[in-house]
PDB file of all heavy atoms in Angstrom:
ATOM      1  N   LEU V   1      49.562  50.354  11.293  1.00  0.00           N
ATOM      2  CA  LEU V   1      49.833  49.618  10.055  1.00  0.00           C
ATOM      3  C   LEU V   1      48.986  50.167   8.910  1.00  0.00           C
ATOM      4  O   LEU V   1      49.486  50.372   7.795  1.00  0.00           O
ATOM      5  CB  LEU V   1      49.585  48.127  10.258  1.00  0.00           C
ATOM      6  CG  LEU V   1      50.033  47.209   9.114  1.00  0.00           C
ATOM      7  CD1 LEU V   1      50.483  45.856   9.653  1.00  0.00           C
ATOM      8  CD2 LEU V   1      48.921  46.997   8.088  1.00  0.00           C
ATOM      9  N   LEU V   2      47.719  50.428   9.179  1.00  0.00           N
ATOM     10  CA  LEU V   2      46.837  50.936   8.122  1.00  0.00           C
ATOM     11  C   LEU V   2      47.250  52.328   7.661  1.00  0.00           C
ATOM     12  O   LEU V   2      47.038  52.689   6.498  1.00  0.00           O
ATOM     13  CB  LEU V   2      45.390  50.954   8.609  1.00  0.00           C
ATOM     14  CG  LEU V   2      44.742  49.575   8.818  1.00  0.00           C
ATOM     15  CD1 LEU V   2      43.372  49.724   9.460  1.00  0.00           C
ATOM     16  CD2 LEU V   2      44.639  48.817   7.507  1.00  0.00           C
ATOM     17  N   ALA V   3      47.873  53.089   8.540  1.00  0.00           N
ATOM     18  CA  ALA V   3      48.291  54.447   8.192  1.00  0.00           C
ATOM     19  C   ALA V   3      49.674  54.478   7.544  1.00  0.00           C
ATOM     20  O   ALA V   3      50.097  55.539   7.055  1.00  0.00           O
ATOM     21  CB  ALA V   3      48.300  55.327   9.441  1.00  0.00           C
ATOM     22  N   ASP V   4      50.352  53.365   7.494  1.00  0.00           N
ATOM     23  CA  ASP V   4      51.736  53.315   7.002  1.00  0.00           C
ATOM     24  C   ASP V   4      51.750  53.354   5.467  1.00  0.00           C
ATOM     25  O   ASP V   4      51.273  52.424   4.807  1.00  0.00           O
ATOM     26  CB  ASP V   4      52.415  52.042   7.507  1.00  0.00           C
ATOM     27  CG  ASP V   4      53.908  52.018   7.260  1.00  0.00           C
ATOM     28  OD1 ASP V   4      54.355  52.599   6.238  1.00  0.00           O
ATOM     29  OD2 ASP V   4      54.633  51.428   8.067  1.00  0.00           O
ATOM     30  N   SER V   5      52.321  54.402   4.902  1.00  0.00           N
ATOM     31  CA  SER V   5      52.349  54.557   3.445  1.00  0.00           C
ATOM     32  C   SER V   5      53.265  53.546   2.771  1.00  0.00           C
ATOM     33  O   SER V   5      53.201  53.365   1.554  1.00  0.00           O
ATOM     34  CB  SER V   5      52.793  55.979   3.081  1.00  0.00           C
ATOM     35  OG  SER V   5      54.099  56.232   3.576  1.00  0.00           O
ATOM     36  N   GLY V   6      54.105  52.884   3.532  1.00  0.00           N
ATOM     37  CA  GLY V   6      55.013  51.897   2.949  1.00  0.00           C
ATOM     38  C   GLY V   6      54.396  50.523   2.762  1.00  0.00           C
ATOM     39  O   GLY V   6      55.026  49.638   2.180  1.00  0.00           O
ATOM     40  N   ILE V   7      53.179  50.323   3.239  1.00  0.00           N
ATOM     41  CA  ILE V   7      52.488  49.038   3.099  1.00  0.00           C
ATOM     42  C   ILE V   7      51.635  49.077   1.838  1.00  0.00           C
ATOM     43  O   ILE V   7      50.762  49.940   1.685  1.00  0.00           O
ATOM     44  CB  ILE V   7      51.613  48.738   4.326  1.00  0.00           C
ATOM     45  CG1 ILE V   7      52.454  48.658   5.594  1.00  0.00           C
ATOM     46  CG2 ILE V   7      50.812  47.451   4.112  1.00  0.00           C
ATOM     47  CD1 ILE V   7      53.500  47.565   5.587  1.00  0.00           C
ATOM     48  N   ASP V   8      51.877  48.139   0.922  1.00  0.00           N
ATOM     49  CA  ASP V   8      51.140  48.084  -0.336  1.00  0.00           C
ATOM     50  C   ASP V   8      49.886  47.208  -0.250  1.00  0.00           C
ATOM     51  O   ASP V   8      48.842  47.551  -0.792  1.00  0.00           O
ATOM     52  CB  ASP V   8      52.050  47.542  -1.449  1.00  0.00           C
ATOM     53  CG  ASP V   8      53.296  48.378  -1.631  1.00  0.00           C
ATOM     54  OD1 ASP V   8      53.159  49.589  -1.865  1.00  0.00           O
ATOM     55  OD2 ASP V   8      54.404  47.817  -1.532  1.00  0.00           O
ATOM     56  N   ILE V   9      50.025  46.050   0.400  1.00  0.00           N
ATOM     57  CA  ILE V   9      48.925  45.089   0.514  1.00  0.00           C
ATOM     58  C   ILE V   9      48.762  44.699   1.969  1.00  0.00           C
ATOM     59  O   ILE V   9      49.746  44.355   2.641  1.00  0.00           O
ATOM     60  CB  ILE V   9      49.179  43.813  -0.321  1.00  0.00           C
ATOM     61  CG1 ILE V   9      49.356  44.144  -1.803  1.00  0.00           C
ATOM     62  CG2 ILE V   9      48.037  42.813  -0.143  1.00  0.00           C
ATOM     63  CD1 ILE V   9      49.749  42.933  -2.655  1.00  0.00           C
ATOM     64  N   VAL V  10      47.537  44.744   2.459  1.00  0.00           N
ATOM     65  CA  VAL V  10      47.238  44.238   3.800  1.00  0.00           C
ATOM     66  C   VAL V  10      46.846  42.770   3.682  1.00  0.00           C
ATOM     67  O   VAL V  10      45.933  42.417   2.918  1.00  0.00           O
ATOM     68  CB  VAL V  10      46.107  45.044   4.468  1.00  0.00           C
ATOM     69  CG1 VAL V  10      45.588  44.322   5.704  1.00  0.00           C
ATOM     70  CG2 VAL V  10      46.603  46.426   4.836  1.00  0.00           C
ATOM     71  N   LEU V  11      47.547  41.922   4.406  1.00  0.00           N
ATOM     72  CA  LEU V  11      47.218  40.504   4.502  1.00  0.00           C
ATOM     73  C   LEU V  11      46.364  40.330   5.758  1.00  0.00           C
ATOM     74  O   LEU V  11      46.849  40.450   6.884  1.00  0.00           O
ATOM     75  CB  LEU V  11      48.495  39.668   4.577  1.00  0.00           C
ATOM     76  CG  LEU V  11      48.349  38.159   4.815  1.00  0.00           C
ATOM     77  CD1 LEU V  11      47.457  37.516   3.758  1.00  0.00           C
ATOM     78  CD2 LEU V  11      49.716  37.490   4.857  1.00  0.00           C
ATOM     79  N   ASN V  12      45.085  40.076   5.551  1.00  0.00           N
ATOM     80  CA  ASN V  12      44.086  40.066   6.617  1.00  0.00           C
ATOM     81  C   ASN V  12      43.917  38.649   7.156  1.00  0.00           C
ATOM     82  O   ASN V  12      43.249  37.814   6.552  1.00  0.00           O
ATOM     83  CB  ASN V  12      42.758  40.600   6.061  1.00  0.00           C
ATOM     84  CG  ASN V  12      41.649  40.634   7.092  1.00  0.00           C
ATOM     85  OD1 ASN V  12      41.828  40.275   8.250  1.00  0.00           O
ATOM     86  ND2 ASN V  12      40.474  41.064   6.665  1.00  0.00           N
ATOM     87  N   LEU V  13      44.533  38.384   8.311  1.00  0.00           N
ATOM     88  CA  LEU V  13      44.500  37.047   8.916  1.00  0.00           C
ATOM     89  C   LEU V  13      43.719  37.050  10.227  1.00  0.00           C
ATOM     90  O   LEU V  13      43.986  36.249  11.117  1.00  0.00           O
ATOM     91  CB  LEU V  13      45.930  36.541   9.162  1.00  0.00           C
ATOM     92  CG  LEU V  13      46.850  36.487   7.945  1.00  0.00           C
ATOM     93  CD1 LEU V  13      48.208  35.914   8.322  1.00  0.00           C
ATOM     94  CD2 LEU V  13      46.233  35.668   6.816  1.00  0.00           C
ATOM     95  N   THR V  14      42.759  37.937  10.338  1.00  0.00           N
ATOM     96  CA  THR V  14      41.927  38.011  11.531  1.00  0.00           C
ATOM     97  C   THR V  14      40.904  36.878  11.532  1.00  0.00           C
ATOM     98  O   THR V  14      40.806  36.100  10.576  1.00  0.00           O
ATOM     99  CB  THR V  14      41.211  39.371  11.581  1.00  0.00           C
ATOM    100  OG1 THR V  14      40.440  39.545  10.379  1.00  0.00           O
ATOM    101  CG2 THR V  14      42.222  40.504  11.694  1.00  0.00           C
ATOM    102  N   ILE V  15      40.105  36.786  12.592  1.00  0.00           N
ATOM    103  CA  ILE V  15      39.064  35.756  12.647  1.00  0.00           C
ATOM    104  C   ILE V  15      37.945  36.110  11.672  1.00  0.00           C
ATOM    105  O   ILE V  15      37.768  37.280  11.318  1.00  0.00           O
ATOM    106  CB  ILE V  15      38.509  35.582  14.081  1.00  0.00           C
ATOM    107  CG1 ILE V  15      37.858  36.875  14.579  1.00  0.00           C
ATOM    108  CG2 ILE V  15      39.603  35.117  15.030  1.00  0.00           C
ATOM    109  CD1 ILE V  15      37.128  36.720  15.905  1.00  0.00           C
ATOM    110  N   PRO V  16      37.176  35.127  11.183  1.00  0.00           N
ATOM    111  CA  PRO V  16      36.178  35.389  10.144  1.00  0.00           C
ATOM    112  C   PRO V  16      35.216  36.520  10.463  1.00  0.00           C
ATOM    113  O   PRO V  16      34.836  37.282   9.566  1.00  0.00           O
ATOM    114  CB  PRO V  16      35.453  34.046  10.023  1.00  0.00           C
ATOM    115  CG  PRO V  16      36.467  33.031  10.417  1.00  0.00           C
ATOM    116  CD  PRO V  16      37.280  33.679  11.504  1.00  0.00           C
ATOM    117  N   ASP V  17      34.828  36.655  11.715  1.00  0.00           N
ATOM    118  CA  ASP V  17      33.813  37.639  12.070  1.00  0.00           C
ATOM    119  C   ASP V  17      34.231  39.074  11.785  1.00  0.00           C
ATOM    120  O   ASP V  17      33.377  39.954  11.642  1.00  0.00           O
ATOM    121  CB  ASP V  17      33.455  37.491  13.555  1.00  0.00           C
ATOM    122  CG  ASP V  17      32.168  38.213  13.912  1.00  0.00           C
ATOM    123  OD1 ASP V  17      31.196  38.100  13.144  1.00  0.00           O
ATOM    124  OD2 ASP V  17      32.141  38.887  14.954  1.00  0.00           O
ATOM    125  N   VAL V  18      35.541  39.332  11.698  1.00  0.00           N
ATOM    126  CA  VAL V  18      36.001  40.698  11.422  1.00  0.00           C
ATOM    127  C   VAL V  18      36.740  40.807  10.085  1.00  0.00           C
ATOM    128  O   VAL V  18      37.355  41.831   9.797  1.00  0.00           O
ATOM    129  CB  VAL V  18      36.879  41.257  12.569  1.00  0.00           C
ATOM    130  CG1 VAL V  18      36.058  41.400  13.832  1.00  0.00           C
ATOM    131  CG2 VAL V  18      38.106  40.398  12.806  1.00  0.00           C
ATOM    132  N   HIS V  19      36.688  39.772   9.253  1.00  0.00           N
ATOM    133  CA  HIS V  19      37.339  39.853   7.944  1.00  0.00           C
ATOM    134  C   HIS V  19      36.870  41.070   7.159  1.00  0.00           C
ATOM    135  O   HIS V  19      37.674  41.841   6.636  1.00  0.00           O
ATOM    136  CB  HIS V  19      37.059  38.584   7.130  1.00  0.00           C
ATOM    137  CG  HIS V  19      37.930  37.438   7.502  1.00  0.00           C
ATOM    138  ND1 HIS V  19      37.836  36.201   6.897  1.00  0.00           N
ATOM    139  CD2 HIS V  19      38.929  37.317   8.409  1.00  0.00           C
ATOM    140  CE1 HIS V  19      38.716  35.379   7.416  1.00  0.00           C
ATOM    141  NE2 HIS V  19      39.392  36.034   8.348  1.00  0.00           N
ATOM    142  N   ALA V  20      35.558  41.247   7.048  1.00  0.00           N
ATOM    143  CA  ALA V  20      35.030  42.346   6.234  1.00  0.00           C
ATOM    144  C   ALA V  20      35.408  43.692   6.835  1.00  0.00           C
ATOM    145  O   ALA V  20      35.796  44.623   6.113  1.00  0.00           O
ATOM    146  CB  ALA V  20      33.516  42.228   6.107  1.00  0.00           C
ATOM    147  N   GLU V  21      35.319  43.816   8.145  1.00  0.00           N
ATOM    148  CA  GLU V  21      35.647  45.090   8.804  1.00  0.00           C
ATOM    149  C   GLU V  21      37.090  45.501   8.521  1.00  0.00           C
ATOM    150  O   GLU V  21      37.364  46.651   8.141  1.00  0.00           O
ATOM    151  CB  GLU V  21      35.429  44.956  10.314  1.00  0.00           C
ATOM    152  CG  GLU V  21      35.855  46.182  11.106  1.00  0.00           C
ATOM    153  CD  GLU V  21      35.862  45.937  12.605  1.00  0.00           C
ATOM    154  OE1 GLU V  21      35.198  44.983  13.072  1.00  0.00           O
ATOM    155  OE2 GLU V  21      36.542  46.707  13.321  1.00  0.00           O
ATOM    156  N   ILE V  22      38.031  44.579   8.696  1.00  0.00           N
ATOM    157  CA  ILE V  22      39.444  44.901   8.488  1.00  0.00           C
ATOM    158  C   ILE V  22      39.724  45.146   7.009  1.00  0.00           C
ATOM    159  O   ILE V  22      40.478  46.066   6.644  1.00  0.00           O
ATOM    160  CB  ILE V  22      40.337  43.788   9.050  1.00  0.00           C
ATOM    161  CG1 ILE V  22      40.198  43.711  10.580  1.00  0.00           C
ATOM    162  CG2 ILE V  22      41.790  43.996   8.652  1.00  0.00           C
ATOM    163  CD1 ILE V  22      40.626  44.971  11.309  1.00  0.00           C
ATOM    164  N   SER V  23      39.132  44.355   6.130  1.00  0.00           N
ATOM    165  CA  SER V  23      39.342  44.554   4.697  1.00  0.00           C
ATOM    166  C   SER V  23      38.831  45.925   4.261  1.00  0.00           C
ATOM    167  O   SER V  23      39.491  46.631   3.488  1.00  0.00           O
ATOM    168  CB  SER V  23      38.655  43.449   3.894  1.00  0.00           C
ATOM    169  OG  SER V  23      39.287  42.201   4.116  1.00  0.00           O
ATOM    170  N   LEU V  24      37.664  46.320   4.747  1.00  0.00           N
ATOM    171  CA  LEU V  24      37.117  47.628   4.393  1.00  0.00           C
ATOM    172  C   LEU V  24      38.000  48.757   4.929  1.00  0.00           C
ATOM    173  O   LEU V  24      38.231  49.757   4.239  1.00  0.00           O
ATOM    174  CB  LEU V  24      35.694  47.766   4.929  1.00  0.00           C
ATOM    175  CG  LEU V  24      34.618  47.014   4.145  1.00  0.00           C
ATOM    176  CD1 LEU V  24      33.305  46.989   4.927  1.00  0.00           C
ATOM    177  CD2 LEU V  24      34.401  47.633   2.766  1.00  0.00           C
ATOM    178  N   ARG V  25      38.513  48.583   6.122  1.00  0.00           N
ATOM    179  CA  ARG V  25      39.414  49.610   6.675  1.00  0.00           C
ATOM    180  C   ARG V  25      40.690  49.711   5.840  1.00  0.00           C
ATOM    181  O   ARG V  25      41.203  50.820   5.609  1.00  0.00           O
ATOM    182  CB  ARG V  25      39.752  49.298   8.133  1.00  0.00           C
ATOM    183  CG  ARG V  25      38.598  49.520   9.101  1.00  0.00           C
ATOM    184  CD  ARG V  25      39.027  49.251  10.529  1.00  0.00           C
ATOM    185  NE  ARG V  25      40.073  50.185  10.952  1.00  0.00           N
ATOM    186  CZ  ARG V  25      40.762  50.057  12.089  1.00  0.00           C
ATOM    187  NH1 ARG V  25      40.508  49.041  12.910  1.00  0.00           N
ATOM    188  NH2 ARG V  25      41.690  50.939  12.404  1.00  0.00           N
ATOM    189  N   ALA V  26      41.208  48.576   5.393  1.00  0.00           N
ATOM    190  CA  ALA V  26      42.411  48.596   4.559  1.00  0.00           C
ATOM    191  C   ALA V  26      42.142  49.297   3.230  1.00  0.00           C
ATOM    192  O   ALA V  26      42.953  50.106   2.757  1.00  0.00           O
ATOM    193  CB  ALA V  26      42.906  47.170   4.324  1.00  0.00           C
ATOM    194  N   ILE V  27      41.003  48.993   2.636  1.00  0.00           N
ATOM    195  CA  ILE V  27      40.626  49.628   1.360  1.00  0.00           C
ATOM    196  C   ILE V  27      40.451  51.130   1.553  1.00  0.00           C
ATOM    197  O   ILE V  27      40.916  51.938   0.733  1.00  0.00           O
ATOM    198  CB  ILE V  27      39.353  48.960   0.807  1.00  0.00           C
ATOM    199  CG1 ILE V  27      39.661  47.519   0.373  1.00  0.00           C
ATOM    200  CG2 ILE V  27      38.777  49.764  -0.355  1.00  0.00           C
ATOM    201  CD1 ILE V  27      38.430  46.657   0.183  1.00  0.00           C
ATOM    202  N   GLN V  28      39.791  51.511   2.626  1.00  0.00           N
ATOM    203  CA  GLN V  28      39.607  52.935   2.906  1.00  0.00           C
ATOM    204  C   GLN V  28      40.936  53.649   3.123  1.00  0.00           C
ATOM    205  O   GLN V  28      41.058  54.848   2.867  1.00  0.00           O
ATOM    206  CB  GLN V  28      38.687  53.103   4.113  1.00  0.00           C
ATOM    207  CG  GLN V  28      37.237  52.721   3.836  1.00  0.00           C
ATOM    208  CD  GLN V  28      36.428  52.423   5.085  1.00  0.00           C
ATOM    209  OE1 GLN V  28      36.946  52.536   6.208  1.00  0.00           O
ATOM    210  NE2 GLN V  28      35.179  52.028   4.900  1.00  0.00           N
ATOM    211  N   ALA V  29      41.943  52.897   3.564  1.00  0.00           N
ATOM    212  CA  ALA V  29      43.279  53.459   3.750  1.00  0.00           C
ATOM    213  C   ALA V  29      44.079  53.457   2.449  1.00  0.00           C
ATOM    214  O   ALA V  29      45.256  53.839   2.444  1.00  0.00           O
ATOM    215  CB  ALA V  29      44.026  52.673   4.823  1.00  0.00           C
TER     216      ALA V  29
END
């Protein structure tokens, strides 16, 4: 999903402990 060029916005619905990790990965992508 993070590598998919067709995704404009990542909706991060993970558990709180990994919110920052997933958000940073999305931004880096």
Side-chain angles (χ1 to χ4, degrees):
L1 189 148
L2 291 173
D4 190 328
S5 61
I7 299 299
D8 302 304
I9 301 174
V10 167
L11 174 56
N12 180 1
L13 303 182
T14 57
I15 62 172
D17 195 44
V18 295
H19 280 180
E21 175 190 340
I22 294 298
S23 292
L24 284 168
R25 288 183 63 190
I27 292 164
Q28 290 160 2

